[in-house]
Amino acid sequence: MACSIKLAASSKWRLGAYRGGILLTVMALALALGGCGGMSRNESPASVEERGTPRDPVATSPVPAAPVQGAPTPEIAAYRPPAVPEYRRPEPNRAVAALTRRADAQQQAGDLGGAAASLERALRIAPEDAALWSRLAALRLDQREFASVQQLAAKSNALAAARDDELKARNWRLIADARRGLGDETGARSADRRADELDR
Amino acid sequence: MKKKPKRRRVNRRRSGTSVRWRPHWARLLLSSLVLLLLVIVGYSLYLGKTVRVKFDGQRWAEPARVFARPLELYVGAPVTADQLQAELEFLGYRKVRAVDAPAQWSRNGNRFALHTRAFRFWDGEAVAQSVVLETGNDGVLGLVGRDNGREVDLLRLEPALVGSIYPAHSEDRVLVRREELPESLVQALLAVEDRRFFEHAGIDLRGIARALVANIRAGGAVQGGSTLTQQLVKNFILTPERSLVRKLNEAWMALIVESRYGKDEILEAYANEIFLGQDGGRAIHGFGLAAHFYFQRPLSELRLHEVSLLVGLVKGASFYNPRRHPERALERRNLVIRQMQQQGFIDAAQADAAIARPLGVTAAGGRGLQRVPGFIDLVRRQLRRDYREQDLTSVGLRIFTTLDPWVQRQAVDALASRLERVEKARGIEAGSLQGAVVVAATQSGEVQALVGGRDAGYAGFNRALDAVRPIGSLVKPAVYLAALSRPERFTLTSRVEDRPVDMALPGGQRWQPRNYDREVHGPVMLHEALARSLNLATIDLGMSVGLDEVKATLQALGVEREILAYPSLLLGALSLSPFDATQVYQVLAAGGFRAPLQAIREVLDADQQPLQRYPLSVVQVADPRAVFLLNRNLVEVTESGTARALRGLLPGIEVAGKTGTTNDLRDSWFAGFAGDRVALAWVGRDDNASSGLTGAQGALPVWADLMRRLAARSIQLLPPSGVEYHWVDREGRLSAEHCDGVVAFPYIAGSQPRQRAACGDTRNEGGFWRGLFD
């Protein structure tokens, strides 16, 4: 139970956008959550070290787990406790930033197809950038491709995973607009409510 | 009977009044002349029509050109020095000591200087740029403009031309316009083929006389008397016989051509029509394509000695084939150069310099342009949805695809080298195994590579698209996804029964499948059943989820072929092509979002105007939470399950995937994802006999080799909102981290086990936390 608490907690401190705040919060929580996030009580060596460090991103390469005594083991390696999402939206690299600027200019000039092509180009460079997917969804809204807006915004939400509520709220508003565009007022209101919850 | 002659007489009288005065013989002569004239006029009209059809038709019959993806260079791009060099070679850039013109590069360690070509992209013209680029182990470290020293945000190299879609009679060409013909090419043609081209009217009597004299002097045929126009006509007529009638026909048609068309038009048609080589079943027509075929460069970039070689080939492309008969070709080339010198087109110094150069022809299928018939096949099929076959092969479309030549090369090499090793190591008859590989970008579904067989350059049976085989255990993730999508009933730690199955089949037979190890394992956890690919437990699970549910899941994952909802479906009695199966795994890799596997990004028409764009599209078809659980399970497969060999083959890299093996070891499958790619390998035999390999023995090492060559990174699986980790003991009871032998499993929120283990029951301890966070 303690660890699901950790997750819930973590999704709150992310709101402090500046680094110092996060760092302080992390330290405070790390102290407070010592029992959960800290050292394992398990006797086994390798796999334990790994699940211990609270700020280990999920993505790090796993150290192959040494067999745990008596357990039917190595499968432990595939299941690790949640990474504590010390999350800041990644700074896009220069290439992605340049392409996004280009897309902005194209969109403003009314060249929506060109803007879409630029954003897709950016997505090939950073395919897991949730903010880019959201940006593309917003463009499709301009193109009045409502079905596509909803899918792209949902994709952005999925990539944002359990972090970046601000982005997810924006996505829900896009979904709401798209639903309105399709004449689905009820659906739009429910999407707006999701956005409100996240914005809170 | 009596009336007819009368009427005839009347008629004759009327029409014949004006000629009645002529003598009989004159009338006969005149009518013969008229008849002859009519025949001549008729025949001329016929030839004229032939000329028009051929001439105007040929001018427009340009096959669609297929381009690879353009390589994007920027600081942080995952492009190594080797990869960049390979790309520059794909593009036919010249390696030089000092870069001073487009399409050149130099390398000093990890520092490259390169000057790009200008290129008309879908979204506009890109000008040629000169940059300095530095690479490190992980990719590009620096990218700076050479003119101003400023950092460049992004540089898009032009895409490599990887093939064309030519019609059934297999003539391929890259059209060039008159103004695109290098002056040296025209000069060389004049020098050796037709000196008086710009003066004569289609046939050149002086030229014939001169050739005759020259040939008698030389004691053999050194010069031809045919004008360029006659040669062009000869190509139109397309019959190889040599006869006087044919010669006369040729001359006649040449005169017709000259009367109808200007010299520049004729020259342009000639330059695009002339036969310059054979590439397997493909005929190389025209200098535009020949430049790519022999030198892998556009015609405009060829230098004197290269142009001279192409012109030399006019006389006999197979006799002077520079790849097969380099000495003959060299001799011929030098003759062309000397002729140019004699006619004053070049001076002695230029001629000597050109003669001193080697042939410079790229090896066929060597480091340069690789043949990708399997991928082109896919492009062609996808284009057929939107274009008529006739348009594809004749209107000069420019097709921009998703092919990554680097990934393609790694896939080709991984398959070929691994199959050889497997055959050797297991004593399998050399060459008996076949295989296929498909690689796609995870999130967008863009197909980066497609290998249809071991000999990837050979345009034969495309196994990636057409080897429709039972997928075996590759189907299982769909069964488990169907289950995990019902969190109220199934979780990773749910209990499933691995017990004997005995079902009656419609024909009165019985179905008694077994586990691969022929054991029965009893109650196991759901995740364990997938990791160990237990057949009996999967049947237990699938039957309780429901066959229709499994079928619906497969359809959502993109399976379009017929699915028979029999129990055997649960063990992979479903036939898919490697390409079809890759789509299924793309959806899993992308967290439940299907992006249709696509090979085309954009199409431009012959005038380089945008015609069509294939936009990125995704559709959510599965619950991202359930897919996340499944993907963690597929990581377990590669870490401790049936694909655990990957731990040794790709040490330290977290990947997800599944093996598949069919009855009697006929098919060996592996599908999985790593980094931002999803890939699938299939190994089997064309005669559908046993390959003697399980999925882990055949396809898996191919896949692992490929990922290693691509320097694959670990997958990035982030738990979506609504997924929680809970510590669970071996009995599947909720426990706590400090307890023995517990593992933290992800659950869709609310579906975690209710039952608590004695250890870790925090109900009496957690008051403080509850107060703080609930």
Side-chain angles (χ1 to χ4, degrees):
Chain A
M1 212 61 222
C3 280
S4 63
I5 289 168
K6 185 166 75 181
L7 196 70
S10 62
S11 68
K12 286 182 180 160
W13 25 280
R14 180 208 16 76
L15 286 173
Y18 44 94
R19 220 190 288 181
I22 285 180
L23 204 70
L24 277 175
T25 330
V26 170
M27 285 167 64
L29 272 165
L31 283 172
L33 292 177
C36 171
M39 307 305 128
S40 164
R41 306 299 180 272
N42 199 307
E43 304 297 322
S44 71
S47 61
V48 174
E49 291 299 321
E50 225 181 301
R51 70 167 91 117
T53 35
R55 285 201 280 153
D56 230 20
V58 178
T60 50
S61 310
V63 178
V68 180
Q69 284 176 341
T73 61
E75 71 254 40
I76 291 170
Y79 302 96
R80 260 166 276 112
V84 174
E86 185 226 351
Y87 179 76
R88 279 179 305 137
R89 201 176 295 155
E91 277 292 310
N93 67 36
R94 289 176 60 125
V96 170
L99 285 167
T100 318
R101 280 198 305 275
R102 182 181 151 114
D104 287 342
Q106 285 165 318
Q107 191 173 3
Q108 268 162 28
D111 178 12
L112 301 183
S118 296
L119 287 177
E120 286 180 21
R121 226 178 126 191
L123 275 169
R124 284 185 202 115
I125 292 173
E128 289 172 12
D129 184 335
L132 268 180
W133 286 89
S134 178
R135 179 74 188 71
L136 186 60
L139 179 70
R140 294 275 158 84
L141 189 66
D142 263 21
Q143 295 177 304
R144 302 184 62 76
E145 289 177 29
F146 300 122
S148 173
V149 173
Q150 299 193 60
Q151 294 295 346
L152 294 167
K155 174 93 188 170
S156 174
N157 277 340
L159 287 168
R163 45 186 207 193
D164 205 345
D165 287 351
E166 186 196 327
L167 179 66
K168 286 198 280 190
R170 208 189 306 155
N171 287 329
W172 279 110
R173 303 231 184 269
L174 285 169
I175 292 171
D177 287 347
R179 287 180 181 167
R180 267 190 203 99
L182 291 167
D184 173 14
E185 189 51 44
T186 327
R189 272 203 296 275
S190 103
D192 270 333
R193 272 197 299 281
R194 300 286 294 268
D196 291 342
E197 282 165 26
L198 287 157
D199 265 346
R200 210 170 291 148
Chain B
M1 282 301 267
K2 277 204 169 180
K3 277 186 178 176
K4 272 188 181 171
K6 204 177 177 182
R7 194 183 285 169
R8 200 181 292 160
R9 202 173 301 145
V10 171
N11 286 348
R12 196 181 288 174
R13 202 170 293 153
R14 272 183 197 162
S15 64
T17 43
S18 61
V19 290
R20 205 189 287 167
W21 58 272
R22 293 195 178 197
H24 186 71
W25 61 269
R27 274 203 335 228
L28 201 71
L29 186 69
L30 193 75
S31 42
S32 322
L33 274 174
V34 167
L35 197 73
L36 190 68
L37 204 71
L38 275 175
V39 168
I40 291 174
V41 167
Y43 192 57
S44 293
L45 282 175
Y46 162 74
L47 286 184
K49 195 184 170 215
T50 311
V51 164
R52 208 166 50 240
V53 166
K54 288 288 186 183
F55 205 91
D56 294 344
Q58 291 294 343
R59 269 199 293 186
W60 300 111
E62 185 182 20
R65 282 199 249 170
V66 181
F67 293 89
R69 61 90 190 91
L71 181 65
E72 302 268 17
L73 294 173
Y74 51 91
V75 172
V79 178
T80 59
D82 286 348
Q83 188 184 345
L84 180 61
Q85 179 161 342
E87 185 78 20
L88 296 171
E89 285 167 1
F90 295 144
L91 291 171
Y93 279 28
R94 283 177 205 283
K95 188 173 188 189
V96 293
R97 242 169 269 141
V99 172
D100 58 6
Q104 293 185 345
W105 64 285
S106 66
R107 179 178 177 179
N108 182 5
N110 283 334
R111 268 174 88 83
F112 289 79
L114 64 106
H115 196 153
T116 66
R117 289 187 184 113
F119 191 82
R120 176 77 174 76
F121 283 98
W122 158 269
D123 51 356
E125 184 84 30
V127 295
Q129 277 195 78
S130 190
V131 296
V132 173
L133 184 145
E134 195 168 341
T135 60
N137 287 339
D138 296 328
V140 179
L141 298 175
L143 181 64
V144 175
R146 291 176 79 215
D147 47 349
N148 57 11
R150 282 221 297 268
E151 194 169 311
V152 175
D153 288 335
L154 183 59
L155 176 68
R156 182 163 49 166
L157 295 185
E158 80 269 18
L161 178 64
V162 292
S164 40
I165 298 179
Y166 42 84
H169 57 85
S170 295
E171 279 182 23
D172 194 8
R173 56 168 58 74
V174 168
L175 278 193
V176 284
R177 280 192 295 272
R178 169 64 184 93
E179 59 270 25
E180 293 168 328
L181 296 177
E183 206 42 44
S184 59
L185 176 75
V186 179
Q187 292 168 345
L189 276 173
L190 293 185
V192 294
E193 297 293 338
D194 186 359
R195 288 183 202 182
R196 298 184 58 251
F197 173 71
F198 286 105
E199 285 104 58
H200 63 65
I203 47 179
D204 181 15
L205 295 175
R206 264 200 275 168
I208 294 172
R210 192 187 50 238
L212 211 63
V213 172
N215 291 351
I216 289 166
R217 269 198 203 143
V222 294
Q223 272 189 29
S226 284
T227 62
L228 293 183
T229 320
Q230 281 170 296
Q231 293 179 27
L232 173 63
V233 165
K234 193 156 79 185
N235 265 281
F236 286 170
I237 299 176
L238 290 173
T239 52
E241 45 144 347
R242 290 182 155 203
S243 68
L244 192 64
V245 176
R246 188 202 147 118
K247 277 277 168 202
L248 285 175
N249 261 333
E250 235 175 72
W252 198 341
M253 281 174 85
L255 290 170
I256 293 172
V257 166
E258 290 274 350
S259 70
R260 276 178 194 273
Y261 303 97
K263 290 285 181 189
D264 282 339
E265 280 177 288
I266 294 167
L267 196 57
E268 182 178 292
Y270 179 89
N272 285 307
E273 179 58 36
I274 196 75
F275 172 76
L276 291 169
Q278 191 70 35
D279 176 29
R282 179 172 77 130
I284 307 299
H285 283 264
F287 291 103
L289 181 61
H292 281 282
F293 180 64
Y294 291 110
F295 301 109
Q296 222 202 311
R297 302 203 160 87
L299 185 58
S300 60
E301 287 177 17
L302 297 193
R303 290 170 294 183
L304 179 60
H305 65 281
E306 293 160 332
V307 165
S308 304
L309 176 66
L310 295 187
V311 169
L313 291 177
V314 167
K315 190 156 180 250
S318 94
F319 185 79
Y320 295 111
N321 182 339
R323 293 195 176 110
R324 207 166 296 156
H325 311 293
E327 283 116 45
R328 276 185 208 166
L330 193 72
E331 204 178 310
R332 176 76 191 155
R333 182 199 75 176
N334 293 347
L335 184 102
V336 172
I337 296 169
R338 286 296 174 213
Q339 286 281 324
M340 289 179 77
Q341 184 195 347
Q342 271 174 29
Q343 319 244 332
F345 291 123
I346 53 173
D347 60 28
Q350 285 173 303
D352 291 345
I355 281 173
R357 294 216 166 244
L359 279 177
V361 173
T362 57
R367 71 189 171 102
L369 198 65
Q370 49 182 349
R371 281 187 221 161
V372 289
F375 185 84
I376 304 257
D377 187 17
L378 171 66
V379 168
R380 192 174 188 144
R381 291 186 205 199
Q382 297 202 335
L383 281 171
R384 257 191 225 142
R385 297 181 208 146
D386 302 308
Y387 296 89
R388 292 181 307 163
E389 181 76 16
Q390 189 193 335
D391 292 342
L392 291 182
T393 57
S394 66
V395 300
L397 299 178
R398 294 157 69 82
I399 296 159
F400 294 89
T401 73
T402 58
L403 178 78
D404 186 322
W406 175 255
V407 177
Q408 174 76 18
R409 173 171 293 181
Q410 306 315 316
V412 167
D413 292 352
L415 180 66
S417 63
R418 183 52 87 161
L419 288 188
E420 215 180 296
R421 271 179 68 180
V422 168
E423 282 170 349
K424 216 170 271 173
R426 295 184 184 271
I428 297 171
E429 186 195 337
S432 66
L433 292 179
Q434 263 300 349
V437 178
V438 182
V439 187
T442 297
Q443 307 295 347
S444 65
E446 289 194 337
V447 181
Q448 297 177 335
L450 185 138
V451 186
R454 279 175 94 155
D455 183 2
Y458 169 69
F461 182 46
N462 191 343
R463 292 161 195 85
L465 300 181
D466 295 326
V468 180
R469 302 288 199 111
I471 60 170
S473 297
L474 229 49
V475 82
K476 282 178 186 162
V479 179
Y480 288 75
L481 179 62
L484 292 169
S485 299
R486 302 176 154 245
E488 70 287 356
R489 290 180 61 198
F490 302 100
T491 67
L492 287 172
T493 51
S494 296
R495 175 175 290 210
V496 289
E497 292 292 335
D498 192 72
R499 59 186 166 204
V501 169
D502 184 356
M503 291 185 199
L505 292 178
Q509 282 177 305
R510 305 206 70 80
W511 188 53
Q512 295 168 311
R514 289 197 278 190
N515 282 327
Y516 185 71
D517 62 6
R518 299 179 180 258
E519 309 259 321
V520 173
H521 302 275
V524 291
M525 280 190 190
L526 181 144
H527 73 92
E528 204 184 339
L530 180 60
R532 297 165 68 185
S533 204
L534 298 179
N535 287 339
L536 301 179
T538 302
I539 293 168
D540 179 60
L541 179 69
M543 295 310 285
S544 58
V545 171
L547 291 171
D548 288 335
E549 200 67 22
V550 172
K551 179 177 170 177
T553 302
L554 280 163
Q555 285 168 334
L557 293 174
V559 175
E560 286 170 358
R561 292 183 197 269
E562 192 186 10
I563 301 171
L564 298 173
Y566 297 138
S568 57
L569 171 66
L570 302 170
L571 299 187
L574 167 66
S575 291
L576 296 180
S577 70
F579 186 78
D580 299 335
T582 307
Q583 178 74 70
V584 170
Y585 279 78
Q586 181 276 325
V587 181
L588 302 181
F593 286 81
R594 185 174 72 215
L597 293 188
Q598 63 173 21
I600 306 158
R601 288 179 184 170
E602 292 114 12
V603 179
L604 298 187
D605 66 15
D607 300 323
Q608 312 214 12
Q609 293 306 305
L611 207 58
Q612 194 167 6
R613 212 171 79 79
Y614 293 81
L616 176 60
S617 87
V618 294
V619 183
Q620 183 171 1
V621 293
D623 181 346
R625 299 172 303 171
V627 175
F628 175 79
L629 267 46
L630 175 67
N631 286 348
R632 290 316 311 176
N633 203 171
L634 292 176
V635 171
E636 181 187 356
V637 170
T638 69
E639 293 192 342
S640 56
T642 50
R644 63 185 169 277
L646 284 173
R647 278 174 66 175
L649 291 168
L650 292 171
I653 297 167
E654 184 175 276
V655 301
K658 184 73 192 80
T659 51
T661 311
T662 58
N663 288 348
D664 306 326
L665 308 179
R666 287 196 170 100
D667 304 280
S668 165
W669 295 89
F670 188 81
F673 35 106
D676 49 16
R677 294 193 177 95
V678 54
L680 176 143
W682 167 83
V683 174
R685 289 171 57 122
D686 281 346
D687 61 7
N688 208 13
S690 171
S691 70
L693 301 168
T694 63
Q697 293 164 341
L700 180 145
V702 172
W703 190 91
D705 287 355
L706 169 64
M707 287 299 174
R708 195 172 48 248
R709 284 163 183 268
L710 294 175
R713 291 170 289 115
S714 290
I715 46 170
Q716 314 236 347
L717 292 178
L718 284 172
S721 12
V723 168
E724 297 168 355
Y725 273 80
H726 294 277
W727 295 100
V728 170
D729 72 5
R730 278 169 229 158
E731 308 300 315
R733 290 172 304 199
L734 215 51
S735 181
E737 189 180 5
H738 64 266
C739 303
D740 275 349
V742 293
V743 176
F745 283 98
Y747 292 89
I748 292 177
S751 70
Q752 64 270 28
R754 300 262 163 78
Q755 202 188 355
R756 286 170 190 280
C759 172
D761 191 339
T762 54
R763 272 171 296 187
N764 303 321
E765 305 167 16
F768 168 72
W769 296 109
R770 220 165 267 148
L772 198 61
F773 290 114
D774 276 2

